[in-house]
């Protein structure tokens, strides 16, 4: 992992930034074969809902929200008086998080971050377990960020899938035209992953994490993992192929925020 990571191309794409500024979609992740994953822009830009609040009730100590988006979870935790920081590679996401009353930094999770090794809880919500397209590498990074015994809460795919792909952010205008029409904005492809709870738990067990809980609320699924100190200095896993699929595709002074 490099000391400084440039924001991925999609972070500055017009559809994504526009959607976050306006709070409206539709917006999608599009795979090379045309498959579309709807992104829940309206929910992300609203206040934390009952499902979100139940997740936040499980948080321990200081909280780092990775891929915080427009900041609904950061704002909710801040309103509760919790020490919380959001990180996101999107300027629009960080701006909106600050606007709604949260703290956020524009930074990749793979860049140096405040309070590494001291966070009580790290959140990977809204599918952010797919960041970087390599869940094994991301789990290793989470172990570096958390204190020994710290808690990782991840929102997983609603299906039992384990896949990697190159995707791009597109809006309704892009999917209504054939190919990549000039003048219709879309982000360049970037690696992403979709992983369900069973696959994540298998991967986590191999990496030395302890499964704390798993649950379903409506059509959303979650898993909580506990960091084990013995894995904190382990070498990062080798990167998996950018595009692969293992399953058929289914349609105080110690405050981490103080370090900047």
């Amino acid at each position: 992992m490099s000391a400084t990571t440039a924001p991925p191309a999609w972070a500055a794409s017009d559809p994504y930034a526009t959607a976050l500024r306006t709070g409206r979609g539709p917006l999608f992740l599009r795979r090379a074969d045309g498959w579309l994953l709807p992104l829940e822009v309206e929910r992300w830009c609203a206040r934390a809902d009952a499902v979100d609040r139940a997740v936040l009730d499980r948080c321990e100590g200081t909280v780092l929200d990775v891929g915080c988006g427009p900041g609904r979870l950061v704002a909710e935790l801040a309103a509760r008086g919790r020490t919380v920081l959001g990180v996101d590679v999107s300027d629009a996401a960080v701006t909106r998080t600050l606007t709604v009353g949260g703290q956020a930094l524009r930074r990749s999770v793979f860049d140096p971050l405040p309070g590494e090794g001291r966070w009580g809880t790290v959140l990977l919500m809204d599918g952010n377990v797919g960041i970087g397209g390599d869940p094994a590498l991301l789990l290793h990074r989470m172990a570096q960020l958390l204190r020994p015994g710290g808690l990782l809460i991840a929102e997983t795919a609603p299906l039992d899938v384990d896949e990697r792909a190159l995707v791009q952010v597109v809006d309704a205008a892009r999917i209504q035209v054939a190919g990549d029409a000039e003048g219709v904005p879309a982000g360049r492809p970037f690696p992403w992953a979709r992983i369900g709870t069973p696959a994540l738990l298998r991967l986590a067990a191999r990496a030395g994490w302890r499964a704390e809980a798993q649950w379903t609320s409506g059509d959303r699924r979650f898993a909580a993992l506990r960091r084990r100190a013995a894995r904190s200095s382990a070498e990062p896993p080798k990167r998996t192929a950018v595009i692969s699929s293992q399953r058929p595709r289914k349609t105080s002074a110690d405050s981490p925020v103080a370090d900047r």
Side-chain angles (χ1 to χ4, degrees):
M1 290 175 283
S2 62
T4 302
T5 305
W10 65 266
S13 67
D14 288 342
Y16 185 73
T18 298
L20 292 194
R21 284 195 296 266
T22 63
R24 297 191 302 273
L27 202 65
F28 307 87
L29 288 185
R30 184 178 69 181
R31 209 163 53 196
D33 61 5
W35 177 89
L36 296 170
L37 175 67
L39 301 179
E40 299 183 74
V41 175
E42 288 84 359
R43 181 172 65 80
W44 298 348
C45 290
R47 299 183 64 176
D49 61 20
V51 176
D52 295 328
R53 293 193 298 271
V55 171
L56 300 184
D57 288 343
R58 296 174 178 260
C59 290
E60 303 170 356
T62 57
V63 183
L64 181 68
D65 185 3
V66 173
C68 65
R72 76 187 191 282
L73 305 179
V74 178
E76 173 65 23
L77 285 168
R80 297 182 183 193
R82 302 292 295 271
T83 299
V84 55
L85 177 69
V87 295
D88 204 290
V89 294
S90 164
D91 277 326
V94 170
T95 297
R96 184 152 184 147
T97 299
L98 296 173
T99 299
V100 297
Q103 293 189 63
L105 296 176
R106 189 184 68 78
R107 204 169 295 180
S108 165
V109 66
F110 296 110
D111 286 340
L113 293 174
E116 296 205 11
R118 302 209 308 273
W119 292 98
T121 303
V122 175
L123 298 173
L124 287 171
M125 295 282 279
D126 304 323
N128 284 330
V129 70
I131 287 174
D134 189 341
L137 186 65
L138 190 60
L139 282 176
H140 174 78
R141 180 59 175 146
M142 297 300 99
Q144 294 177 326
L145 295 171
L146 284 164
R147 70 189 182 198
L151 188 67
L152 170 63
I153 301 179
E155 182 170 357
T156 58
L159 301 173
D160 186 6
V161 296
D162 185 4
E163 65 180 22
R164 321 286 184 264
L166 286 175
V167 298
Q168 63 183 157
V169 177
V170 297
D171 59 13
R174 168 65 68 169
I175 65 175
Q176 289 169 3
V177 298
D180 292 330
E182 185 176 353
V184 182
R188 290 192 297 274
F190 60 94
W192 195 254
R194 283 203 312 150
I195 187 167
T197 298
L200 179 62
L201 294 182
R202 290 192 297 268
L203 187 62
R206 292 196 296 268
W209 292 81
R210 177 167 59 87
E212 181 87 357
Q214 56 179 300
W215 68 98
T216 300
S217 186
D219 59 355
R220 298 170 66 187
R221 297 185 182 182
F222 305 89
L225 305 173
R226 184 74 63 180
R227 178 195 166 191
R228 290 177 174 170
R231 299 293 298 184
S232 61
S233 59
E235 289 297 317
K238 295 181 180 179
R239 281 189 175 274
T240 56
V242 169
I243 304 177
S244 64
S245 180
Q246 287 70 50
R247 295 180 180 273
R249 290 178 176 129
K250 303 176 184 178
T251 353
S252 71
D254 289 336
S255 169
V257 179
D259 295 356
R260 293 295 174 91

